[in-house]
Amino acid sequence: MTDLELFAAIKGEIDYCETTKLPVNPSFTPTEQHRLDLIDRYMVSKYRDGDTDSFGNQMVFYNISSFPVEVASKMLDFDTKDITLIAEDERYWETWLMEKELRFWMEDRKFGKLLNDLAFRYPRDGQVIAKNVDGEVELVPLKNLRFRPNALKLENTPIIEKYEYMADEFKAEAKKRGWENWEKVELNPDKAQTGYFNKVDKVTVFGAWFPVGYLDGTDNYFIVSYDGHVLAKWEQDMFYKGLRWEELQGRLFGRGVVEKLFNEQIYLNRIANYKAEGLNWTSKHIWQTRDVSFKTNLLGNTDNGDVFVTNDPIEPVKMEERNLSFYNQEEQRWEGNALRRNFTQEPITGERAPAGTPLGSSILQARMASGFYDQKKEDLAIFVKEILWDWVLPEFKKDKKGAHSLMMKNILSSDKGAEKFFNLQLNYRINKQKFGKFLPPEMWEMKKALEAEKLKNSKIEMPRGFYDDLKYKMKITIVGENIDVASKLTTLQTLFQIIGSNPSVLENKTTKSILFKMLNLSGFNPHDFEDEEVPTVQGVAQQAQAQRGGSIAAPAMPTMPQVAPQTATV
């Protein structure tokens, strides 16, 4: 395929995306670009056709779209600390160490910010697209993508992504990535083409990915400039992943909260502007009279105490608004319908329920809303786990494949697992040393405390390939998705009842192994339930000092009274 044929294929895909009208789209946003543009405008309280009416007056915008999106984002939010690794065999501590180091690694890569962006864009746009760029996971702005809007799956359609650079940025990026033919790209704004393929002050570049078999040859990813120059090409596997909020038949992208409230937003804006226009009229004071000779402006040309001599009475014109009750009723009806459609009601938003609302109704609403968002959070968790399995973990293992070290103090926390791991390392170091058979107990405790202080500032040496064989011996569990809080609470209550009725269950190896296996499958580290206090140098010293003292404290010597100095004034 020649460069001209390739550029023609890219232009054809772009034109098809921009001109295809979907029957499932609202009539006022027939194409995907129109729909995405209106979503962005409604989120910032802007109209599609301008913010002034036919008389030039500023129109008001009664935004009911952003609040449900923010509530949904709050309900879907989770962080890197909620991502846990669960061992499927007895290798608890290898998996625990990998989990700790993975969290540090994700913090350095700002993976938590990616999760926050996912929780916000997912309900707002109804679709999120993530991509893997040189080991970094990024979210793609949907307005920069061109695709076949009526495709069944994302991997079945060519994907064209648009990039815009300033002239100097384009030169730097081309040199950094080693692009070819970049000197042939026209950078002079006076000579460059305008339109979608380029802007006057920007240089547009397209990254075009085609499914295998769409084009001749093995290369299926191309970097092409706006004027048709192929800058780079190679064979590329699918590196995009997508997730839909609400699936619509006949459309590739899903429907989000803002699009779902298009009609409610338009109608409430209409009511708000009717009220604003009515307020503009009712704020005026106008009078009327049949006396044609009286032409005085009563507001500007009169003072207190003026007497008017007229042939007919002067009466005020009735300007009061007579539809306020209807406007308020319509606002409450449509706004309530919008909140109900997105489960954005009082128990979820934190607002106070109306007076007289039964407690049972509030509980039922809270359960319904929580069930709705739990389902969406489960979908999002599955999507995040897919990203972790396919992109994050391979990159993490690649970075940590060689021999490396991990500071012990960095992994110490209030977590019971950290305490147990520290105790294991401490006992191992002490057992390697030989202190003699008859070492006094207080000296033994002091030695243990000294070793504990040394261990806190030591490094954990990781051999090469330490995590290579753990891929099939662990599971990724996102808290609130696979193991919910109610299930964990039930497990703890059951454990408490078992130990309370039969404390010896922890002494028998068989029953202890079975109990620990149950805890592991429930999302707990079984070693968290074994307590062992780590001695400190200060604690051991104080204990030894207390043991060294007698039964009666030595009397303190009395202090001699001192005479306060006096100053005489002559």
Side-chain angles (χ1 to χ4, degrees):
M1 175 178 287
T2 63
D3 292 351
L4 291 177
E5 293 175 341
L6 174 64
F7 192 59
I10 295 175
K11 291 181 63 176
E13 296 294 336
I14 293 176
D15 292 339
Y16 182 80
C17 178
E18 293 189 335
T19 58
T20 299
K21 298 180 179 180
L22 300 177
V24 297
N25 280 15
S27 59
F28 45 86
T29 57
T31 67
E32 286 293 81
Q33 296 306 308
H34 291 151
R35 183 181 65 86
L36 295 173
D37 179 69
L38 191 60
I39 289 175
D40 290 342
R41 289 179 179 271
Y42 276 6
M43 283 298 296
V44 295
S45 302
K46 286 187 173 294
Y47 288 95
R48 181 191 62 182
D49 302 325
D51 298 328
T52 57
D53 58 16
S54 57
F55 298 100
N57 299 322
Q58 182 74 24
M59 294 190 297
V60 298
F61 196 100
Y62 187 78
N63 197 321
I64 63 164
S65 302
S66 60
F67 179 65
V69 171
E70 292 168 355
V71 172
S73 176
K74 172 232 174 204
M75 296 296 295
L76 299 175
D77 181 54
F78 57 88
D79 199 55
T80 53
K81 67 179 184 298
D82 298 323
I83 301 175
T84 60
L85 305 181
I86 300 178
E88 291 184 337
D89 58 2
E90 298 300 325
R91 302 184 65 184
Y92 297 116
W93 296 117
E94 291 89 338
T95 307
W96 183 83
L97 278 174
M98 181 177 179
E99 175 187 313
K100 290 291 184 181
E101 197 165 8
L102 177 62
R103 288 180 182 175
F104 295 146
W105 187 84
M106 290 190 295
E107 289 177 3
D108 295 338
R109 299 295 185 98
K110 296 180 174 58
F111 194 76
K113 185 178 183 302
L114 175 71
L115 296 179
N116 294 335
D117 292 341
L118 272 174
F120 182 77
R121 295 190 191 185
Y122 180 39
R124 183 194 67 179
D125 300 329
Q127 179 78 34
V128 287
I129 301 293
K131 68 175 181 179
N132 184 17
V133 182
D134 299 332
E136 296 287 341
V137 182
E138 300 177 0
L139 293 183
V140 183
L142 300 183
K143 294 176 67 174
N144 290 352
L145 294 177
R146 296 300 183 270
F147 48 90
R148 297 182 182 181
N150 51 4
L152 296 178
K153 295 182 180 179
L154 189 65
E155 56 268 21
N156 295 338
T157 173
I159 301 175
I160 316 297
E161 187 173 356
K162 176 182 177 181
Y163 306 94
E164 292 181 348
Y165 302 97
M166 299 295 290
D168 51 354
E169 293 176 346
F170 172 76
K171 292 180 181 179
E173 188 72 13
K175 293 178 181 179
K176 176 183 176 181
R177 297 187 176 275
W179 289 346
E180 302 176 354
N181 302 322
W182 66 269
E183 300 92 344
K184 300 179 182 179
V185 179
E186 182 59 61
L187 303 180
N188 189 349
D190 298 331
K191 299 180 180 180
Q193 302 176 5
T194 59
Y196 172 76
F197 282 84
N198 199 49
K199 294 182 178 179
V200 175
D201 58 340
K202 295 290 184 68
V203 179
T204 305
V205 176
F206 300 99
W209 179 85
F210 291 87
V212 177
Y214 273 59
L215 303 177
D216 297 335
T218 58
D219 296 332
N220 63 333
Y221 186 77
F222 306 88
I223 304 294
V224 183
S225 65
Y226 74 95
D227 50 0
H229 295 289
V230 179
L231 306 178
K233 59 181 179 179
W234 62 83
E235 185 178 0
Q236 176 69 54
D237 295 332
M238 179 62 169
F239 62 103
Y240 292 97
K241 293 183 183 294
L243 177 65
R244 289 179 283 195
W245 177 265
E246 181 180 333
E247 184 177 354
L248 294 180
Q249 294 295 330
R251 194 173 83 185
L252 178 62
F253 280 6
R255 181 174 69 166
V257 172
V258 179
E259 181 186 357
K260 198 172 183 178
L261 300 180
F262 272 170
N263 291 327
E264 286 81 357
Q265 183 66 76
I266 293 172
Y267 190 74
L268 285 172
N269 280 342
R270 185 181 303 170
I271 294 177
N273 282 281
Y274 284 162
K275 292 177 67 175
E277 293 172 0
L279 180 62
N280 184 33
W281 277 104
T282 56
S283 62
K284 302 179 184 300
H285 298 276
I286 305 175
W287 288 267
Q288 62 181 354
T289 180
R290 292 188 178 91
D291 189 349
V292 297
S293 63
F294 187 81
K295 300 180 180 180
T296 301
N297 189 323
L298 297 182
L299 293 179
N301 299 328
T302 59
D303 294 323
N304 290 333
D306 285 351
V307 177
F308 298 103
V309 180
T310 60
N311 297 326
D312 194 77
I314 301 175
E315 299 176 351
V317 178
K318 295 181 179 181
M319 303 289 293
E320 65 272 8
E321 180 61 66
R322 302 180 181 180
N323 293 322
L324 282 178
S325 61
F326 174 75
Y327 289 155
N328 293 333
Q329 179 182 354
E330 283 293 282
E331 280 184 348
Q332 294 177 5
R333 189 164 67 96
W334 281 79
E335 186 173 357
N337 181 62
L339 297 180
R340 284 192 300 270
R341 293 186 66 190
N342 289 281
F343 292 91
T344 315
Q345 297 164 310
E346 292 83 8
I348 298 299
T349 61
E351 298 178 4
R352 185 175 181 180
T357 303
L359 178 60
S361 299
S362 299
I363 296 176
L364 182 60
Q365 289 179 357
R367 288 180 178 177
M368 292 291 291
S370 299
F372 172 77
Y373 286 113
D374 286 345
Q375 182 181 7
K376 296 301 181 182
K377 191 172 183 178
E378 180 181 357
D379 295 338
L380 182 60
I382 294 174
F383 180 69
V384 172
K385 286 202 296 185
E386 185 179 349
I387 292 177
L388 290 171
W389 275 118
D390 296 344
W391 294 342
V392 175
L393 283 178
E395 189 67 21
F396 166 76
K397 290 184 177 182
K398 179 181 177 182
D399 289 350
K400 302 298 181 180
K401 187 176 182 62
H404 61 282
S405 61
L406 183 65
M407 291 297 297
M408 174 66 75
K409 62 182 179 181
N410 292 337
I411 65 174
L412 294 180
S413 62
S414 58
D415 182 15
K416 275 289 185 181
E419 181 181 350
K420 294 300 176 184
F421 179 78
F422 183 81
N423 286 331
L424 286 175
Q425 295 294 315
L426 178 61
N427 293 332
Y428 175 75
R429 294 182 64 161
I430 292 177
N431 292 333
K432 286 180 64 178
Q433 304 179 21
K434 297 181 179 180
F435 301 120
K437 187 177 290 186
F438 302 103
L439 192 66
E442 61 273 10
M443 294 299 297
W444 179 268
E445 291 296 327
M446 178 62 72
K447 184 63 179 178
K448 188 174 183 181
L450 292 173
E451 288 295 328
E453 293 296 329
K454 294 179 182 179
L455 182 60
K456 290 179 182 179
N457 297 318
S458 65
K459 295 182 179 181
I460 304 174
E461 299 297 334
M462 304 290 186
R464 179 179 177 83
F466 185 67
Y467 300 130
D468 288 349
D469 59 342
L470 287 180
K471 180 175 181 180
Y472 301 103
K473 297 178 181 178
M474 53 115 171
K475 293 189 295 186
I476 298 179
T477 301
I478 297 181
V479 175
E481 187 264 318
N482 278 348
I483 301 175
D484 59 340
V485 177
S487 299
K488 298 181 76 172
L489 182 60
T490 302
T491 302
L492 291 177
Q493 291 175 346
T494 305
L495 176 63
F496 187 76
Q497 293 174 0
I498 293 175
I499 297 176
S501 60
N502 186 12
S504 61
V505 72
L506 295 176
E507 299 176 1
N508 186 280
K509 293 184 178 181
T510 303
T511 56
K512 184 178 179 180
S513 177
I514 296 175
L515 185 63
F516 277 17
K517 189 65 176 179
M518 293 170 56
L519 291 172
N520 181 45
L521 294 177
S522 300
F524 295 100
N525 188 341
H527 297 285
D528 291 347
F529 296 87
E530 293 179 339
D531 192 15
E532 182 179 352
E533 185 178 357
V534 179
T536 61
V537 176
Q538 294 82 359
V540 174
Q542 292 175 1
Q543 185 178 3
Q545 184 68 26
Q547 294 176 356
R548 195 177 300 118
S551 59
I552 300 177
M557 295 298 295
T559 58
M560 297 298 293
Q562 297 179 359
V563 179
Q566 297 180 357
T567 303
T569 303
V570 178

